Amino acid sequence: MDFYLGIDFGTSGARGMVVDEEASIQAQVRYPFQDSPAAVTPTIWQEALFVLVEQIPEQLRREIKAIAINGTSSTVLLVDTAGNPTDAPLLYNDGRGSLVLEHLKSIAPPNHTVLSATSSLVKLLWMRQQPSFSEARYFLHQADWLAFLLHGQLGISDYHNALKLGYDVEELKYPEWLEELQIPIQLPKVLPPGTPIAELSPEVADKFSFRRDCLVCAGTTDSIAAFLASGAKLPGEAVTSLGSTLVLKLLSRTRQEDARYGIYSHRLGDLWLTGGASNTGGAVLKQFFTNAELESLSREIDASRASDLDYYPLLKVGDRFPINDPNLPPRLSPRPDNPVEFLHGLLESIARIEARGYELLQQMGADKLNRVYTAGGGATNEAWTAIRARNLQVPVVASVYTEAAYGAALLAMGGGIKGEQE
């Protein structure tokens, strides 16, 4: 039997999932990061990747036909001709690129997806000004580099990761205005997600007892992998990822793009995944509560009653969607003495931001929201689910599978079948 491996690199750790030809899960492996996301280096990513692979039972590894990897969107790095990082990567939420945003506004089309303080292209322009840039030859996303460690070919990406680099996902090419920036290093060759890139390098295949013809496929971003895992398939169905951050994805027949609101659309076959990502979410909750406290206090919340507390929960200044403002201050007061009330206020406020996000997408012309699947750690919180359903006024259900690694495994399966047909 053929098996397929999906690997998910998130902010808190890496996960791997092996599925069979029926898309049934055969193995799950995890590698939690011990440090904060900012302290996690490419060396740790590399260690996580190979430790995950080694944890998969050898009898499964010998039958894995294809592998796909997802990484956090707009987590990027520069590498030299050998693929070695030339400096620290810039993570998904790194806003240092805001310094070059004005320059980019004079070149990119108005309200383009790249016109955000955290876009991949803005990060690249900021990196260009650093001393280490002279050593760099390739600009890669996290998922691109991790896949390179498996197949050995540099400079290949997918059109989900490359969207915020400025790649035109409608025309399937880099736009002419991007050439005006005269970037002196290699931008990635962009493939549809799930496209077979190459077989595993012989060294990796032999070291980990993979079959020599195991394919590595073009990857995707973590939130799209979570969408693929969810079970959502029809226009009007959406997935909210409640992880460290809040990510909304609404399946629509129309494409929406407006950087003023942090809205962008990913291509998904003949449909569009339109949405945005807010910096609010689970990371803010964990600033105040342990996992055990979140579980016990949530059980005491009366989810049928709206909280009067009006917060905008952020770890630091700045949000991307539905308010795209790098200077937006967190609002976390007044803080009641009762921790149940405080948690209720936080969950209610994040739910309001979610509802505002979906309202905005529909106002911009996306299909009418009719169902929300939920992925990420917050999907298991029953009180939060009830609060969100009250705010969203549509059914809110748990995703069929909540792990992005499962979506990546489905992508690998599609790539493996495609590779067989070619």
Side-chain angles (χ1 to χ4, degrees):
M1 184 179 272
D2 292 326
F3 298 104
Y4 304 91
L5 170 60
I7 298 174
D8 161 47
F9 271 73
T11 51
S12 59
R15 298 171 184 83
M17 207 168 270
V18 178
V19 302
D20 63 18
E21 294 160 342
E22 306 294 317
S24 298
I25 297 168
Q26 299 299 310
Q28 297 185 62
V29 289
R30 291 175 182 270
Y31 185 101
F33 298 143
Q34 303 303 324
D35 302 312
S36 70
V40 177
T41 63
T43 306
I44 296 171
W45 298 348
Q46 183 170 354
E47 180 183 306
L49 174 65
F50 290 123
V51 169
L52 277 182
V53 165
E54 211 160 23
Q55 286 176 14
I56 297 165
E58 189 178 324
Q59 70 269 25
L60 291 183
R61 287 204 303 264
R62 290 185 182 279
E63 302 301 328
I64 288 173
K65 187 176 181 179
I67 301 169
I69 301 177
N70 70 259
T72 48
S73 177
S74 291
T75 292
V76 297
L77 71 165
L78 294 169
V79 301
D80 62 19
T81 50
N84 298 312
T86 57
D87 209 335
L90 294 191
L91 300 190
Y92 68 98
N93 59 350
D94 193 304
R96 279 177 277 188
S98 59
L99 299 170
V100 297
L101 204 45
E102 284 307 312
H103 169 57
L104 186 55
K105 280 178 181 172
S106 67
I107 295 169
N111 308 323
H112 196 282
T113 307
V114 297
L115 297 174
S116 152
T118 56
S119 79
S120 301
L121 183 56
V122 159
K123 290 185 174 98
L124 172 54
L125 296 182
W126 182 85
M127 288 167 150
R128 185 179 179 173
Q129 299 178 348
Q130 309 312 307
S132 59
F133 189 79
S134 60
E135 301 163 39
R137 291 294 172 269
Y138 294 92
F139 176 82
L140 299 175
H141 304 87
Q142 181 185 37
D144 309 340
W145 186 72
L146 290 162
F148 151 74
L149 296 178
L150 297 179
H151 58 59
Q153 297 191 21
L154 277 167
I156 299 174
S157 190
D158 63 88
Y159 63 54
H160 290 158
N161 273 294
L163 179 78
K164 294 180 187 176
L165 182 55
Y167 185 79
D168 187 333
V169 292
E170 211 149 9
E171 298 292 331
L172 299 179
K173 63 180 185 180
Y174 285 108
E176 287 176 14
W177 60 262
L178 196 57
E179 292 170 17
E180 288 180 39
L181 293 167
Q182 297 182 319
I183 296 163
I185 62 166
Q186 189 72 41
L187 294 182
K189 176 186 174 185
V190 179
L191 302 173
T195 304
I197 296 171
E199 294 176 352
L200 281 173
S201 71
E203 296 80 17
V204 171
D206 293 349
K207 182 177 180 181
F208 296 101
S209 305
F210 282 107
R211 49 201 268 184
R212 277 285 187 101
D213 64 348
C214 176
L215 293 166
V216 183
C217 303
T220 183
T221 63
D222 53 349
S223 60
I224 294 190
F227 189 96
L228 295 173
S230 70
K233 288 184 178 67
L234 303 172
E237 294 185 332
V239 173
T240 295
S241 292
L242 293 173
S244 301
T245 58
L246 172 75
V247 182
L248 312 188
K249 294 266 187 281
L250 172 59
L251 204 51
S252 176
R253 284 165 288 206
T254 56
R255 180 185 184 186
Q256 311 302 324
E257 300 277 332
D258 199 324
R260 289 174 302 172
Y261 306 108
I263 292 171
Y264 54 92
S265 291
H266 280 286
R267 189 177 187 135
L268 202 68
D270 297 330
L271 296 172
W272 293 94
L273 258 187
T274 185
S278 171
N279 292 336
T280 194
V284 185
L285 300 177
K286 289 184 177 179
Q287 189 180 24
F288 299 106
F289 303 102
T290 64
N291 286 340
E293 287 168 338
L294 285 171
E295 207 172 302
S296 62
L297 295 172
S298 293
R299 285 198 289 269
E300 296 183 48
I301 291 172
D302 178 1
S304 66
R305 181 183 62 81
S307 170
D308 296 330
L309 295 164
D310 183 22
Y311 299 142
Y312 204 104
L314 298 169
L315 283 180
K316 60 183 183 181
V317 169
D319 201 10
R320 302 171 281 165
F321 168 84
I323 300 171
N324 190 10
D325 179 359
N327 301 311
L328 186 73
R331 192 168 68 245
L332 291 160
S333 62
R335 181 172 176 176
D337 294 333
N338 183 336
V340 176
E341 282 180 41
F342 182 46
L343 179 58
H344 189 179
L346 290 171
L347 297 180
E348 188 87 39
S349 297
I350 296 171
R352 287 180 194 137
I353 293 168
E354 180 186 4
R356 192 184 309 173
Y358 282 122
E359 281 166 21
L360 185 56
L361 295 176
Q362 291 165 95
Q363 285 166 14
M364 301 295 285
D367 278 68
K368 182 174 168 55
L369 181 73
N370 56 45
R371 176 180 290 258
V372 175
Y373 291 85
T374 313
T380 57
N381 188 315
E382 290 179 18
W384 201 1
T385 300
I387 290 166
R388 292 171 52 234
R390 175 165 45 73
N391 278 275
L392 291 165
Q393 298 185 328
V394 297
V396 175
V397 297
S399 292
V400 178
Y401 292 98
T402 61
E403 294 279 11
Y406 184 80
L410 296 183
L411 206 56
M413 186 191 293
I417 293 166
K418 189 176 179 183
E420 200 173 61
Q421 293 166 347
E422 288 175 354

